[in-house]
Amino acid sequence: MTDASRMIAPVRRPSWLPTGLIRLVDTPLNATLTLLVAAVLVWAVPPLARWAVFDAAVLPATPETCRAAAGACWSFVIAKHSQILFGIYPLDERWRPALVCLGLLALLAWSVRPSAWRPRLGVIWLVMLLAIQILMGGGVLGLTPVPTAEWGGLPVTLILTVVAIGGGFPLAVLLALGRRSDLPAIRTLCTVFVEATRALPLLSILFIASIMLPLMVPEALLPDKLMRALIALLLFAAAYMAEVIRGGLQAVPKGQYEAAAALGLGYWRTQRLVVLPQAIAISIPALTNTIIVMIKNTSLVLVVGLFDLISSGKAALADPAWSSPAIETYVFISAIYFVLCFGFGRFAEAMERRNKASRP
Amino acid sequence: MSFAQTSAPADSAVELRGVHKWFGDFHALRGVDLRVAPGERIVICGPSGSGKSTLIRCINQLERHQDGEIVVNGVRAGSEPRQLNAIRREVGMVFQSFNLFPHLTVLENCVLAPVSVARQNRAEAEARAMALLERVRIPEQAHKYPGQLSGGQQQRVAIARSLCLDPKIMLFDEPTSALDPEMVKEVLETMIGLANDGMTMLVVTHEMGFARQAADRVVFMDQGQIVESAEPDAFFESPRHERTRAFLGQLMH
């Protein structure tokens, strides 16, 4: 015992340097890299700080403040935040999309806790979607009707993200199971759907949904443009997530199916209680990647004329009174995307930690 | 339960008549006949690839046989889901590689089927599972995950998990082959305890000590056929077939 502890005694180091810092200079390579990084920081940080903070125009939020300042024009973002966030939604009614955004974000934050995962969570989300439709669309309860063509900005991005991914995920699970089904018809159907969807760029799927479909089918028979884009995104997300989940399914050993069968579990119980929890846990890193890409993909709806966050930002920039502070606007929008994607990344990380608890 | 297919005499727990099984071109079972009485303990041995695992996997229909007849507790094994469910409700199985569900705790492993398939009340199922974990002498591990247990402990959990459904027949497919030597004993002791309680057991194993101590009959298989079937004493002392003698000779060395 004493021999062993002597053998693994810590490496000697100067006591005046903390362990973290000594790694910065302990070899010639590390010392060179440290100097290089320090040089880049000295070169880049001061001008950036001057632009973003010290020389920046903030208040009062008027074009004059910006013209007088040498740095970033945050006044524009402050003055136009409502238009960037809510697009061309009628001015007097903007409390409605604001409420929708807050509600969605609050419910998202509430839903990520494992203790909330009960069947009633699904019911709560359905009620939420209905409430969104009523609040955004109006026409009932004395709310002024607002057609989806006037919806825009953050609520559109959030709705697209939540519905495409939240609705795409169960569909993806079914597609993944379907591709491994014993029934040839189901297997072929799922395989063809996944392969066809993956073979097309998202842009062309959105064009088909919003421009070509109305040419072939009378517009009165079709759901509106937002709904069509939503379905297109949902199907696209489902096809990609299905392949990731299928990979997880393949990693579940055959013995798990046999043990479930020997216990008398049928197909669906085996999948739901035994196979899918393991397959999805295995797929989390790849699934996170796919989902984060899908969050950002929602911005592509701007090419079919829907006002998501980026298009409403662009629209706000068109005001001739301001000198088009595009960088500042995009920094603001990027920050929102970053919060969404980073937040999801953290959630996925927590899930991985939770699963590791059962695998020492 | 009323099943029309009660073609076997009620006094046999398992009956196989002329069972054939192919894996592609490989003829795994070549006309196997075997009758197991209720409460009987049978050890099946034989060289690898002799079809002994396939045989017991056909009994709970993890493998479907292609010819012949299998009757378990009066229910004929067939393609109907009702027949399959009726058989699996009565037959428990323990695997070489344990096959516990790694994402569930020991207790959750035990109550999964009773609660979701047999529709038992969760509290009652948990009480019953705890009693069985007590019996396999690991109640203190109930809230751990399988990955935190040793192989021997995992296999004892697997036995308890099967017993939770009150099976009438237990199948063991090389239950100690994946274990470190020092853990074989604890699993065999659990199985001997089960045998002493009168459980009908079919055990594929090379543990001849277990066969001598607990089996009513030893069945030797080779190339998809039952070559010899005898009481343990007769089987080990005076095997009648040359192939049995050769196999036993290899085991001894």
Side-chain angles (χ1 to χ4, degrees):
Chain A
M1 198 62 208
T2 43
D3 280 348
S5 58
R6 205 175 299 138
M7 277 162 64
I8 56 164
V11 179
R12 282 169 177 282
R13 60 176 173 81
S15 55
W16 49 270
L17 255 183
T19 335
L21 284 184
I22 199 164
R23 298 289 311 276
L24 292 176
V25 291
D26 61 352
T27 66
L29 177 66
N30 280 357
T32 316
L33 287 174
T34 304
L35 278 176
L36 218 64
V37 170
V40 169
L41 287 178
V42 167
W43 172 77
V45 170
L48 200 62
R50 264 201 304 282
W51 177 80
V53 183
F54 302 114
D55 295 348
V58 184
L59 289 172
T62 59
E64 289 70 36
T65 321
C66 274
R67 248 171 258 138
C73 174
W74 301 123
S75 318
F76 177 79
V77 175
I78 295 166
K80 295 278 185 183
H81 74 275
S82 168
Q83 197 189 343
I84 298 171
L85 288 176
F86 305 124
I88 54 169
Y89 205 85
L91 262 177
D92 296 339
E93 306 287 337
R94 286 199 179 154
W95 61 273
R96 285 156 56 178
L99 205 58
V100 163
C101 290
L102 289 177
L104 264 175
L105 291 172
L107 186 54
L108 271 177
W110 192 74
S111 306
V112 297
R113 300 164 315 123
S115 57
W117 301 344
R118 305 182 171 280
R120 65 165 189 204
L121 187 64
V123 179
I124 294 174
W125 271 102
L126 286 180
V127 171
M128 185 69 188
L129 291 180
L130 189 70
I132 290 174
Q133 171 61 40
I134 291 171
L135 262 175
M136 291 292 288
V140 283
L141 304 172
L143 293 167
T144 323
V146 180
T148 56
E150 290 177 22
W151 298 13
L154 186 60
V156 168
T157 293
L158 285 179
I159 291 168
L160 290 174
T161 301
V162 165
V163 177
I165 291 162
F169 188 75
L171 181 61
V173 168
L174 292 178
L175 284 168
L177 292 177
R179 274 197 88 164
R180 291 164 56 85
S181 169
D182 293 334
L183 309 167
I186 291 184
R187 195 170 56 235
T188 311
L189 202 70
C190 293
T191 307
V192 167
F193 174 79
V194 168
E195 294 298 336
T197 311
R198 281 201 308 177
L200 291 171
L202 179 55
L203 275 184
S204 61
I205 294 179
L206 285 170
F207 272 123
I208 292 170
S210 58
I211 293 158
M212 281 171 64
L213 216 53
L215 297 179
M216 295 181 280
V217 185
E219 189 114 24
L221 296 179
L222 290 172
D224 66 33
K225 203 159 146 192
L226 179 69
M227 186 59 91
R228 294 203 300 270
L230 195 53
I231 293 170
L233 278 170
L234 187 151
L235 296 177
F236 189 78
Y240 272 84
M241 289 192 281
E243 285 301 278
V244 173
I245 294 168
R246 192 166 68 95
L249 288 173
Q250 279 167 349
V252 176
K254 193 164 155 260
Q256 296 287 308
Y257 292 89
E258 291 182 346
L263 288 170
L265 272 70
Y267 176 81
W268 288 107
R269 284 202 186 99
T270 300
Q271 300 299 342
R272 184 167 59 84
L273 300 170
V274 175
V275 177
L276 283 171
Q278 298 183 56
I280 291 170
I282 296 167
S283 320
I284 285 178
L287 215 44
T288 308
N289 217 16
T290 307
I291 288 176
I292 286 180
V293 169
M294 280 310 302
I295 293 176
K296 293 181 288 185
N297 271 352
T298 58
S299 61
L300 287 176
V301 297
L302 76 92
V303 300
V304 294
L306 286 170
F307 281 87
D308 80 316
L309 196 50
I310 291 182
S311 13
S312 62
K314 268 174 75 173
L317 283 169
D319 187 342
W322 298 77
S323 50
S324 301
I327 294 174
E328 292 82 340
T329 308
Y330 288 128
V331 165
F332 175 64
I333 291 169
S334 303
I336 293 175
Y337 274 103
F338 179 81
V339 168
L340 290 179
C341 296
F342 184 72
F344 186 80
R346 300 295 302 181
F347 166 65
E349 218 181 295
M351 288 301 98
E352 275 191 74
R353 266 202 308 278
R354 187 167 176 271
N355 290 321
K356 272 209 191 83
S358 61
R359 286 188 196 85
Chain B
M1 273 179 295
S2 62
F3 281 91
Q5 304 90 344
T6 44
S7 51
D11 60 358
S12 67
V14 179
E15 180 148 9
L16 289 85
R17 280 192 291 264
V19 172
H20 286 266
K21 167 77 187 172
W22 285 265
F23 292 107
D25 289 337
F26 179 65
H27 200 168
L29 295 179
R30 304 165 179 249
V32 172
D33 296 292
L34 181 68
R35 204 185 144 270
V36 183
E40 200 178 7
R41 278 91 59 173
I42 292 189
V43 162
I44 303 168
C45 60
S48 71
S50 59
K52 50 196 194 302
S53 285
T54 307
L55 175 70
I56 67 165
R57 288 162 62 86
C58 278
I59 291 173
N60 71 344
Q61 295 282 288
L62 284 185
E63 304 289 355
R64 300 294 175 92
H65 60 294
Q66 284 126 345
D67 197 9
E69 198 177 28
I70 298 177
V71 182
V72 181
N73 250 339
V75 180
R76 199 168 148 268
S79 51
E80 256 188 71
R82 282 182 64 204
Q83 297 169 320
L84 197 62
N85 293 340
I87 288 175
R88 287 183 178 162
R89 206 178 299 133
E90 306 289 333
V91 181
M93 187 167 203
V94 174
F95 300 86
Q96 178 178 354
S97 49
F98 328 137
N99 295 350
L100 294 177
F101 306 133
H103 61 299
L104 300 177
T105 64
V106 164
L107 189 61
E108 287 166 345
N109 263 278
C110 290
V111 301
L112 182 75
V115 171
S116 73
V117 182
R119 297 269 168 228
Q120 290 175 20
N121 170 297
R122 177 171 287 272
E124 282 167 27
E126 283 184 357
R128 169 109 179 95
M130 283 310 295
L132 286 165
L133 289 172
E134 200 90 52
R135 181 164 156 190
V136 300
R137 299 194 316 282
I138 36 174
E140 71 281 2
Q141 314 285 2
H143 297 287
K144 288 194 183 165
Y145 287 94
Q148 295 167 300
L149 306 186
S150 73
Q153 291 173 324
Q154 290 193 49
Q155 195 59 298
R156 285 185 283 149
V157 171
I159 293 172
R161 179 175 73 175
S162 293
L163 293 176
C164 280
L165 286 168
D166 286 318
K168 302 229 167 35
I169 300 158
M170 283 288 286
L171 309 174
F172 293 84
D173 189 1
E174 306 208 24
T176 56
S177 301
L179 294 175
D180 291 335
E182 72 271 21
M183 292 169 187
V184 170
K185 192 163 157 260
E186 62 189 57
V187 171
L188 289 181
E189 275 171 1
T190 308
M191 290 166 62
I192 288 168
L194 203 56
N196 291 339
D197 289 348
M199 176 68 76
T200 309
M201 293 165 69
L202 284 96
V203 184
V204 172
T205 187
H206 293 140
E207 294 291 336
M208 292 304 134
F210 173 80
R212 278 178 192 276
Q213 196 179 343
D216 297 314
R217 193 147 50 108
V218 182
V219 170
F220 174 69
M221 285 187 75
D222 194 21
Q223 295 175 4
Q225 288 172 316
I226 291 180
V227 176
E228 184 156 355
S229 167
E231 287 180 13
D233 287 344
F235 182 86
F236 290 112
E237 305 313 326
S238 50
R240 277 172 294 147
H241 287 81
E242 182 49 43
R243 278 190 280 177
T244 317
R245 280 195 287 275
F247 176 73
L248 286 174
Q250 280 166 353
L251 272 194
M252 299 313 159
H253 294 297

